[in-house]
Amino acid sequence: MTGTVTERIQTEITENPVMLYMKGTAMFPQCGFSARVVQILTHMGVPFKTANVLEDPALREGIKQFSNWPTVPQLYVKGEFVGGCDIVTEMFQSGELATMLTEKGVPHEAAA
Amino acid sequence: MAMPAGEIEALIKAALPDAQVTIEDLAGDGDHYAATVVSAAFAGKSRVQQHQIVYAALRGRMGGELHALALQTSAPV
């Protein structure tokens, strides 16, 4: 993995409290799983930045090696890998996502 | 690019002999599955770690041959 991809990822997840690596964009997700995570974050009123791995094959592979996680989407909060669609959904439904965001000082509306 | 459910179960059980595995074919295309895996190996581990154990058991097929695997993991209660 080229140094630049790792450095880019490290920078992005450090500079952006909530960073989502996804297929497509928040406006036009190109994968059901990516779309679901966008919906959850939007529903919770969490400001987040996205990166479209479909535009950058090096990023698409680099992100999987970075987190040792074989799929996209991948959600990072305050530089920490939270999980993919399943885990984010499970955490949202159980209220853990709201708790974690609060603990990490990330603004959000109270989960429904 | 598809994978039979039996092969997924066999791979998981090879890595986690005590695992109780149930697999559901979501789309009938051999590419989109939901699986629940219960194993003592997950005890005390975060969800990410638990899922990584299952992905390791699948020896690199996850994300390639196997496009989607909705995972529910837990330690035996």
Side-chain angles (χ1 to χ4, degrees):
Chain A
M1 189 167 50
T2 55
T4 52
V5 172
T6 311
E7 285 156 13
R8 168 189 167 173
I9 294 169
Q10 195 55 61
T11 309
E12 284 175 340
I13 65 174
T14 309
E15 287 175 356
N16 300 284
V18 181
M19 184 70 204
L20 177 64
Y21 293 88
M22 64 178 290
K23 289 177 181 173
T25 63
M27 287 301 291
F28 301 104
Q30 290 172 266
C31 155
F33 300 112
S34 292
R36 184 186 295 172
V37 177
V38 167
Q39 274 169 355
I40 289 173
L41 295 175
T42 308
H43 174 78
M44 293 183 71
V46 178
F48 62 98
K49 185 159 188 303
T50 64
N52 181 0
V53 301
L54 296 179
E55 282 172 1
D56 184 344
L59 176 64
R60 184 173 187 176
E61 284 318 308
I63 194 68
K64 293 175 186 174
Q65 289 175 15
F66 184 86
S67 56
N68 183 27
W69 191 262
T71 55
V72 164
Q74 292 188 19
L75 180 65
Y76 292 77
V77 174
K78 293 280 177 129
E80 202 185 313
F81 178 55
V82 175
C85 181
D86 293 339
I87 289 178
V88 171
T89 305
E90 229 177 286
M91 288 178 72
F92 170 65
Q93 288 162 347
S94 69
E96 272 176 81
L97 191 55
T99 311
M100 184 194 73
L101 290 170
T102 307
E103 278 165 9
K104 291 185 182 262
V106 173
H108 65 89
E109 288 147 28
Chain B
M1 278 214 317
M3 215 174 145
E7 189 180 341
I8 298 171
E9 187 168 345
L11 281 169
I12 294 173
K13 286 194 166 168
L16 303 167
D18 75 317
Q20 291 150 31
V21 183
T22 57
I23 297 188
E24 189 196 338
D25 187 338
L26 295 176
D29 58 4
D31 231 359
H32 297 73
Y33 287 100
T36 55
V37 184
V38 179
S39 165
F42 297 144
K45 295 226 170 31
S46 72
R47 278 196 188 87
V48 169
Q49 291 165 328
Q50 292 178 26
H51 288 209
Q52 283 172 327
I53 291 170
V54 176
Y55 290 148
L58 294 175
R59 298 199 204 115
R61 286 176 177 75
M62 188 59 225
E65 242 174 280
L66 189 51
H67 178 67
L69 179 63
L71 264 179
Q72 291 272 345
T73 54
S74 59
V77 180

